[in-house]
Structure formats: C-alpha cells, structure tokens
Amino acid sequence: MNDDFMEEAIAEAKQGLSEGGIPIGSVLVRDGKIIGKGHNKRVQDGDPMTHAEIDCLRNAGRIGTYKGTTLYSTLMPCYLCAGAVVQFGIKKVIAGESKTFPGAKEFMESHGVEVIDIDSEECKQLMQDFITVKPELWNEDIGE
Amino acid sequence: MNDDFMEEAIAEAKQGLSEGGIPIGSVLVRDGKIIGKGHNKRVQDGDPMTHAEIDCLRNAGRIGTYKGTTLYSTLMPCYLCAGAVVQFGIKKVIAGESKTFPGAKEFMESHGVEVIDIDSEECKQLMQDFITVKPELWNEDIGE
C-alpha cells in the first residue's frame, strides 16, 4: 500500500471527470512501479465495458503473468473488474472506498485475492459530488 | 436458443482467426435480433481485456438495461466475461462448448443466470485446432 499510487488513481479519476466522464481511476503496480493506468470511459468512448480497471489493464498491455501485481482503484471493483482480477490472477487489490458501491469484495476474497479498502474521504467525495449531479449516468455504469 | 445466432458467433470466431487472433466469437441478442457482435482481439489490438464477449458488449454500445438480452459465445465465458454478465444483469448465456475451458458457469448460475452449454463439435474443433498450433497464446488469454 502506497499513497502515491492511490494519488495517481485519483488523478486518473479527475482526468475522466474533466472529460465529462465518470470519475473512477485505476493503476496497476509491480515492483514499486506503475505499469498501467486508466479511467472509466463509458461516456468518452461510448463504451460500457471500459470501467477504470479494464482501461488500466488494457493500457498495461500484454504483460504475460500478473504475478506480483497490485491493482489500485478509487472505487471497490464491480463484478466485471473483479472478474478480470480473478481470471488473470491479480492477488492484491487496493480500493479507495466502498461506501458509494460495495462492489465484489467477497467474490475476490473467496478467490484468494487480498482486498484492502482505505476508505478515502477524497475518493468518496469525488463519487458523491458526481452522483449528485448525474445519478442516471452512475446507475447506467453499474447496470441498474 | 437459435442456431443462427451461434452461427454468427462462430463467424466472428473465424473472422478473429483470419486476423491472426484467438478464435472466440460472441453475439448479443434481444427480441430475436442481434444488437452486438464481436471477437477476441488480444492479438489484433494488443489488448488482454478484449475477450470476445467484452468486444461484443462494447460494440452493442450504451443500450441502457440488458433486460431480455441473451449472450451467445462460442466458448464458456471466463470470470472476466461472466463478471460482465452478472454486473449488467444479462440473464441468459448460451455457450458453444465448455470442454476446452470450463469457464465460470457456476458463478453465473449462482447469480441467477441461465447458462446453456450446447457442446458444439464445430466450436470445440475451432479451439482444439487453434490450441494445437498456438498453446502459449491460449494460456496467455486465460491468464495461465
């Protein structure tokens, strides 16, 4: 757990917000270095599959094994993103918060993933401010 | 269940193969009409997240609710793709086969998804022929 990496994920979330998108960001880390980052692009790309974590993992490219990687996300991963974590064998996830959205924490844990929720005020505020303004967009993003 | 839709998914898989990619295809159907289709693009786009089902759901675009949709895939969805199914509330999945790869059938079923495995010889042959030639690529795609 390194605050600088969550700061990078938050910077990605803010970048998404500045593009008119949903403010969720993610970074993938290995050996103390960021090897991928991304943010939700539902609005920007008209792409319902590009959640922040998916964008991040896409941008990391074909890295082969995910052994030793840690995925940071400003929000607890949903089933789509948690499914990627489980399928590709990412063993550690650090989430900015899970108050806005509980996500699929238990699902990941049941597959041996260590999940840490840092309950960040900044991450919660980002989502709350966004949902107050665009509740429909948020509901669309989580399939509700 | 409609054989024509699986045929379209197989056509997508073959399209992927012709591009040098992994031969897995998918279509999304609602009200008897295909509203999205796609195929695995790991090789073509250098994108480890673009499994066939993700490509299909991306191409379907921002359709709002997934109520009444059925997802066809030539291969039983993995956790990434099954996670998308569960998160977005797709209630029916038809898989071409699960002999090559068991996928996340139980996970989907435990979330109320009806999963039908048609055990298609053509779908199995496509994957077996591919894996014989490019085993490393297949292992990479499922994170092994």
Side-chain angles (χ1 to χ4, degrees):
Chain A
M1 168 61 207
N2 179 320
D3 283 344
D4 291 346
F5 296 139
M6 188 55 79
E7 283 306 316
E8 283 288 332
I10 292 171
E12 281 288 325
K14 289 180 176 173
Q15 172 68 25
L17 191 65
S18 76
E19 294 163 359
I22 300 169
I24 307 173
S26 174
V27 301
L28 185 68
V29 171
R30 180 152 58 190
D31 298 330
K33 268 188 5 202
I34 291 176
I35 59 173
K37 48 188 184 173
H39 55 270
N40 188 299
K41 290 184 178 147
R42 170 180 289 272
V43 174
Q44 297 92 316
D45 293 352
D47 179 357
M49 293 299 110
T50 301
H51 278 193
E53 300 89 334
I54 300 298
D55 191 44
C56 171
L57 293 167
R58 177 182 299 146
N59 292 335
R62 291 172 61 186
I63 65 170
T65 178
Y66 290 80
K67 204 172 164 180
T69 59
T70 299
L71 185 69
Y72 286 73
S73 177
T74 56
L75 184 64
M76 187 62 75
C78 77
Y79 277 111
L80 163 62
C81 302
V85 165
V86 168
Q87 187 62 46
F88 293 104
I90 295 170
K91 290 298 180 198
K92 189 167 182 176
V93 169
I94 299 176
E97 62 121 340
S98 62
K99 288 284 190 304
T100 303
F101 178 68
K105 185 171 189 277
E106 285 78 22
F107 165 64
M108 291 187 281
E109 287 174 339
S110 75
H111 285 271
V113 181
E114 181 188 3
V115 183
I116 299 171
D117 177 0
I118 66 168
D119 196 36
S120 148
E121 289 303 324
E122 188 174 8
C123 290
K124 284 186 279 191
Q125 200 62 52
L126 257 174
M127 287 307 292
Q128 285 315 312
D129 290 350
F130 171 74
I131 292 170
T132 301
V133 180
K134 297 182 177 172
E136 312 82 11
L137 189 50
W138 169 238
N139 286 334
E140 181 189 327
D141 200 53
I142 53 171
E144 282 178 4
Chain B
M1 168 61 209
N2 179 320
D3 283 343
D4 291 347
F5 295 140
M6 188 56 78
E7 282 306 314
E8 284 288 331
I10 291 171
E12 281 288 326
K14 289 179 176 173
Q15 172 68 25
L17 191 64
S18 77
E19 294 163 359
I22 301 169
I24 306 173
S26 175
V27 301
L28 186 67
V29 171
R30 180 152 60 191
D31 298 330
K33 267 189 6 204
I34 291 176
I35 59 172
K37 48 187 183 174
H39 55 270
N40 188 300
K41 289 183 177 148
R42 169 179 292 272
V43 173
Q44 297 92 316
D45 293 353
D47 179 357
M49 293 300 110
T50 300
H51 278 192
E53 300 89 332
I54 300 297
D55 191 46
C56 170
L57 292 168
R58 177 182 298 146
N59 291 335
R62 292 172 60 187
I63 65 170
T65 178
Y66 290 80
K67 203 171 164 180
T69 59
T70 298
L71 186 69
Y72 286 73
S73 177
T74 55
L75 184 63
M76 187 63 74
C78 76
Y79 278 112
L80 163 63
C81 302
V85 165
V86 168
Q87 187 63 45
F88 293 104
I90 296 170
K91 291 297 180 198
K92 190 167 181 176
V93 168
I94 298 176
E97 62 123 340
S98 63
K99 288 283 190 304
T100 303
F101 179 68
K105 184 172 189 274
E106 285 78 20
F107 166 65
M108 291 187 281
E109 288 174 338
S110 74
H111 285 271
V113 181
E114 180 189 4
V115 183
I116 298 170
D117 178 359
I118 66 168
D119 196 36
S120 147
E121 289 303 323
E122 187 173 9
C123 290
K124 284 187 280 190
Q125 200 61 52
L126 257 174
M127 286 307 292
Q128 284 314 313
D129 291 349
F130 172 72
I131 292 169
T132 301
V133 181
K134 297 183 177 172
E136 312 81 13
L137 189 51
W138 169 238
N139 286 333
E140 181 190 326
D141 201 53
I142 53 171
E144 282 179 5

mmCIF file with all atom_site columns, all heavy atoms in Angstrom, chain B residues 117-128:
data_model
loop_
_atom_site.group_PDB
_atom_site.id
_atom_site.type_symbol
_atom_site.label_atom_id
_atom_site.label_alt_id
_atom_site.label_comp_id
_atom_site.label_asym_id
_atom_site.label_entity_id
_atom_site.label_seq_id
_atom_site.pdbx_PDB_ins_code
_atom_site.Cartn_x
_atom_site.Cartn_y
_atom_site.Cartn_z
_atom_site.occupancy
_atom_site.B_iso_or_equiv
_atom_site.pdbx_formal_charge
_atom_site.auth_seq_id
_atom_site.auth_comp_id
_atom_site.auth_asym_id
_atom_site.auth_atom_id
_atom_site.pdbx_PDB_model_num
ATOM 1  N N   . ASP B 1 117 ? -25.161 -24.932 -22.291 1.00 0.00 ? 117 ASP B N   1
ATOM 2  C CA  . ASP B 1 117 ? -23.942 -25.362 -22.992 1.00 0.00 ? 117 ASP B CA  1
ATOM 3  C C   . ASP B 1 117 ? -24.375 -26.297 -24.123 1.00 0.00 ? 117 ASP B C   1
ATOM 4  O O   . ASP B 1 117 ? -24.871 -27.391 -23.859 1.00 0.00 ? 117 ASP B O   1
ATOM 5  C CB  . ASP B 1 117 ? -23.043 -26.093 -21.982 1.00 0.00 ? 117 ASP B CB  1
ATOM 6  C CG  . ASP B 1 117 ? -21.775 -26.635 -22.603 1.00 0.00 ? 117 ASP B CG  1
ATOM 7  O OD1 . ASP B 1 117 ? -21.572 -26.482 -23.825 1.00 0.00 ? 117 ASP B OD1 1
ATOM 8  O OD2 . ASP B 1 117 ? -20.974 -27.220 -21.840 1.00 0.00 ? 117 ASP B OD2 1
ATOM 9  N N   . ILE B 1 118 ? -24.195 -25.867 -25.371 1.00 0.00 ? 118 ILE B N   1
ATOM 10 C CA  . ILE B 1 118 ? -24.722 -26.705 -26.469 1.00 0.00 ? 118 ILE B CA  1
ATOM 11 C C   . ILE B 1 118 ? -23.711 -27.750 -26.941 1.00 0.00 ? 118 ILE B C   1
ATOM 12 O O   . ILE B 1 118 ? -24.017 -28.567 -27.797 1.00 0.00 ? 118 ILE B O   1
ATOM 13 C CB  . ILE B 1 118 ? -25.220 -25.865 -27.674 1.00 0.00 ? 118 ILE B CB  1
ATOM 14 C CG1 . ILE B 1 118 ? -24.056 -25.133 -28.357 1.00 0.00 ? 118 ILE B CG1 1
ATOM 15 C CG2 . ILE B 1 118 ? -26.329 -24.911 -27.256 1.00 0.00 ? 118 ILE B CG2 1
ATOM 16 C CD1 . ILE B 1 118 ? -24.448 -24.528 -29.709 1.00 0.00 ? 118 ILE B CD1 1
ATOM 17 N N   . ASP B 1 119 ? -22.488 -27.720 -26.398 1.00 0.00 ? 119 ASP B N   1
ATOM 18 C CA  . ASP B 1 119 ? -21.478 -28.741 -26.685 1.00 0.00 ? 119 ASP B CA  1
ATOM 19 C C   . ASP B 1 119 ? -21.323 -28.966 -28.198 1.00 0.00 ? 119 ASP B C   1
ATOM 20 O O   . ASP B 1 119 ? -21.434 -30.086 -28.695 1.00 0.00 ? 119 ASP B O   1
ATOM 21 C CB  . ASP B 1 119 ? -21.865 -30.051 -25.959 1.00 0.00 ? 119 ASP B CB  1
ATOM 22 C CG  . ASP B 1 119 ? -20.696 -31.032 -25.884 1.00 0.00 ? 119 ASP B CG  1
ATOM 23 O OD1 . ASP B 1 119 ? -19.547 -30.588 -25.731 1.00 0.00 ? 119 ASP B OD1 1
ATOM 24 O OD2 . ASP B 1 119 ? -20.940 -32.249 -26.004 1.00 0.00 ? 119 ASP B OD2 1
ATOM 25 N N   . SER B 1 120 ? -21.039 -27.896 -28.893 1.00 0.00 ? 120 SER B N   1
ATOM 26 C CA  . SER B 1 120 ? -20.940 -27.931 -30.358 1.00 0.00 ? 120 SER B CA  1
ATOM 27 C C   . SER B 1 120 ? -19.604 -28.490 -30.834 1.00 0.00 ? 120 SER B C   1
ATOM 28 O O   . SER B 1 120 ? -18.537 -28.039 -30.406 1.00 0.00 ? 120 SER B O   1
ATOM 29 C CB  . SER B 1 120 ? -21.123 -26.496 -30.891 1.00 0.00 ? 120 SER B CB  1
ATOM 30 O OG  . SER B 1 120 ? -20.363 -26.273 -32.061 1.00 0.00 ? 120 SER B OG  1
ATOM 31 N N   . GLU B 1 121 ? -19.672 -29.450 -31.731 1.00 0.00 ? 121 GLU B N   1
ATOM 32 C CA  . GLU B 1 121 ? -18.441 -30.048 -32.294 1.00 0.00 ? 121 GLU B CA  1
ATOM 33 C C   . GLU B 1 121 ? -17.631 -28.989 -33.029 1.00 0.00 ? 121 GLU B C   1
ATOM 34 O O   . GLU B 1 121 ? -16.409 -28.949 -32.947 1.00 0.00 ? 121 GLU B O   1
ATOM 35 C CB  . GLU B 1 121 ? -18.783 -31.194 -33.260 1.00 0.00 ? 121 GLU B CB  1
ATOM 36 C CG  . GLU B 1 121 ? -19.326 -32.443 -32.591 1.00 0.00 ? 121 GLU B CG  1
ATOM 37 C CD  . GLU B 1 121 ? -18.386 -33.020 -31.523 1.00 0.00 ? 121 GLU B CD  1
ATOM 38 O OE1 . GLU B 1 121 ? -17.158 -32.975 -31.702 1.00 0.00 ? 121 GLU B OE1 1
ATOM 39 O OE2 . GLU B 1 121 ? -18.902 -33.496 -30.491 1.00 0.00 ? 121 GLU B OE2 1
ATOM 40 N N   . GLU B 1 122 ? -18.321 -28.106 -33.736 1.00 0.00 ? 122 GLU B N   1
ATOM 41 C CA  . GLU B 1 122 ? -17.613 -27.082 -34.516 1.00 0.00 ? 122 GLU B CA  1
ATOM 42 C C   . GLU B 1 122 ? -16.848 -26.125 -33.580 1.00 0.00 ? 122 GLU B C   1
ATOM 43 O O   . GLU B 1 122 ? -15.694 -25.776 -33.858 1.00 0.00 ? 122 GLU B O   1
ATOM 44 C CB  . GLU B 1 122 ? -18.601 -26.293 -35.395 1.00 0.00 ? 122 GLU B CB  1
ATOM 45 C CG  . GLU B 1 122 ? -17.872 -25.346 -36.327 1.00 0.00 ? 122 GLU B CG  1
ATOM 46 C CD  . GLU B 1 122 ? -18.794 -24.666 -37.344 1.00 0.00 ? 122 GLU B CD  1
ATOM 47 O OE1 . GLU B 1 122 ? -20.022 -24.800 -37.219 1.00 0.00 ? 122 GLU B OE1 1
ATOM 48 O OE2 . GLU B 1 122 ? -18.253 -23.996 -38.238 1.00 0.00 ? 122 GLU B OE2 1
ATOM 49 N N   . CYS B 1 123 ? -17.502 -25.724 -32.501 1.00 0.00 ? 123 CYS B N   1
ATOM 50 C CA  . CYS B 1 123 ? -16.843 -24.821 -31.546 1.00 0.00 ? 123 CYS B CA  1
ATOM 51 C C   . CYS B 1 123 ? -15.634 -25.496 -30.908 1.00 0.00 ? 123 CYS B C   1
ATOM 52 O O   . CYS B 1 123 ? -14.560 -24.891 -30.754 1.00 0.00 ? 123 CYS B O   1
ATOM 53 C CB  . CYS B 1 123 ? -17.830 -24.365 -30.476 1.00 0.00 ? 123 CYS B CB  1
ATOM 54 S SG  . CYS B 1 123 ? -19.100 -23.236 -31.104 1.00 0.00 ? 123 CYS B SG  1
ATOM 55 N N   . LYS B 1 124 ? -15.797 -26.769 -30.541 1.00 0.00 ? 124 LYS B N   1
ATOM 56 C CA  . LYS B 1 124 ? -14.671 -27.497 -29.927 1.00 0.00 ? 124 LYS B CA  1
ATOM 57 C C   . LYS B 1 124 ? -13.511 -27.637 -30.905 1.00 0.00 ? 124 LYS B C   1
ATOM 58 O O   . LYS B 1 124 ? -12.345 -27.447 -30.550 1.00 0.00 ? 124 LYS B O   1
ATOM 59 C CB  . LYS B 1 124 ? -15.135 -28.884 -29.443 1.00 0.00 ? 124 LYS B CB  1
ATOM 60 C CG  . LYS B 1 124 ? -15.939 -28.833 -28.167 1.00 0.00 ? 124 LYS B CG  1
ATOM 61 C CD  . LYS B 1 124 ? -16.249 -30.223 -27.614 1.00 0.00 ? 124 LYS B CD  1
ATOM 62 C CE  . LYS B 1 124 ? -17.426 -30.836 -28.345 1.00 0.00 ? 124 LYS B CE  1
ATOM 63 N NZ  . LYS B 1 124 ? -17.909 -32.086 -27.696 1.00 0.00 ? 124 LYS B NZ  1
ATOM 64 N N   . GLN B 1 125 ? -13.838 -27.944 -32.141 1.00 0.00 ? 125 GLN B N   1
ATOM 65 C CA  . GLN B 1 125 ? -12.797 -28.155 -33.162 1.00 0.00 ? 125 GLN B CA  1
ATOM 66 C C   . GLN B 1 125 ? -12.011 -26.875 -33.403 1.00 0.00 ? 125 GLN B C   1
ATOM 67 O O   . GLN B 1 125 ? -10.780 -26.894 -33.523 1.00 0.00 ? 125 GLN B O   1
ATOM 68 C CB  . GLN B 1 125 ? -13.440 -28.653 -34.459 1.00 0.00 ? 125 GLN B CB  1
ATOM 69 C CG  . GLN B 1 125 ? -12.470 -29.353 -35.388 1.00 0.00 ? 125 GLN B CG  1
ATOM 70 C CD  . GLN B 1 125 ? -11.843 -30.594 -34.749 1.00 0.00 ? 125 GLN B CD  1
ATOM 71 O OE1 . GLN B 1 125 ? -12.552 -31.465 -34.241 1.00 0.00 ? 125 GLN B OE1 1
ATOM 72 N NE2 . GLN B 1 125 ? -10.509 -30.671 -34.743 1.00 0.00 ? 125 GLN B NE2 1
ATOM 73 N N   . LEU B 1 126 ? -12.727 -25.761 -33.476 1.00 0.00 ? 126 LEU B N   1
ATOM 74 C CA  . LEU B 1 126 ? -12.077 -24.453 -33.671 1.00 0.00 ? 126 LEU B CA  1
ATOM 75 C C   . LEU B 1 126 ? -10.995 -24.227 -32.622 1.00 0.00 ? 126 LEU B C   1
ATOM 76 O O   . LEU B 1 126 ? -9.870  -23.830 -32.935 1.00 0.00 ? 126 LEU B O   1
ATOM 77 C CB  . LEU B 1 126 ? -13.117 -23.337 -33.513 1.00 0.00 ? 126 LEU B CB  1
ATOM 78 C CG  . LEU B 1 126 ? -13.685 -22.647 -34.740 1.00 0.00 ? 126 LEU B CG  1
ATOM 79 C CD1 . LEU B 1 126 ? -14.793 -21.687 -34.320 1.00 0.00 ? 126 LEU B CD1 1
ATOM 80 C CD2 . LEU B 1 126 ? -12.614 -21.907 -35.535 1.00 0.00 ? 126 LEU B CD2 1
ATOM 81 N N   . MET B 1 127 ? -11.355 -24.458 -31.367 1.00 0.00 ? 127 MET B N   1
ATOM 82 C CA  . MET B 1 127 ? -10.407 -24.214 -30.271 1.00 0.00 ? 127 MET B CA  1
ATOM 83 C C   . MET B 1 127 ? -9.286  -25.252 -30.263 1.00 0.00 ? 127 MET B C   1
ATOM 84 O O   . MET B 1 127 ? -8.122  -24.903 -30.045 1.00 0.00 ? 127 MET B O   1
ATOM 85 C CB  . MET B 1 127 ? -11.138 -24.223 -28.921 1.00 0.00 ? 127 MET B CB  1
ATOM 86 C CG  . MET B 1 127 ? -11.974 -22.999 -28.677 1.00 0.00 ? 127 MET B CG  1
ATOM 87 S SD  . MET B 1 127 ? -11.064 -21.430 -28.892 1.00 0.00 ? 127 MET B SD  1
ATOM 88 C CE  . MET B 1 127 ? -9.926  -21.494 -27.510 1.00 0.00 ? 127 MET B CE  1
ATOM 89 N N   . GLN B 1 128 ? -9.641  -26.515 -30.496 1.00 0.00 ? 128 GLN B N   1
ATOM 90 C CA  . GLN B 1 128 ? -8.610  -27.551 -30.448 1.00 0.00 ? 128 GLN B CA  1
ATOM 91 C C   . GLN B 1 128 ? -7.572  -27.334 -31.547 1.00 0.00 ? 128 GLN B C   1
ATOM 92 O O   . GLN B 1 128 ? -6.370  -27.452 -31.304 1.00 0.00 ? 128 GLN B O   1
ATOM 93 C CB  . GLN B 1 128 ? -9.232  -28.953 -30.545 1.00 0.00 ? 128 GLN B CB  1
ATOM 94 C CG  . GLN B 1 128 ? -9.896  -29.385 -29.245 1.00 0.00 ? 128 GLN B CG  1
ATOM 95 C CD  . GLN B 1 128 ? -9.040  -29.110 -27.997 1.00 0.00 ? 128 GLN B CD  1
ATOM 96 O OE1 . GLN B 1 128 ? -7.843  -29.414 -27.959 1.00 0.00 ? 128 GLN B OE1 1
ATOM 97 N NE2 . GLN B 1 128 ? -9.623  -28.506 -26.973 1.00 0.00 ? 128 GLN B NE2 1
#
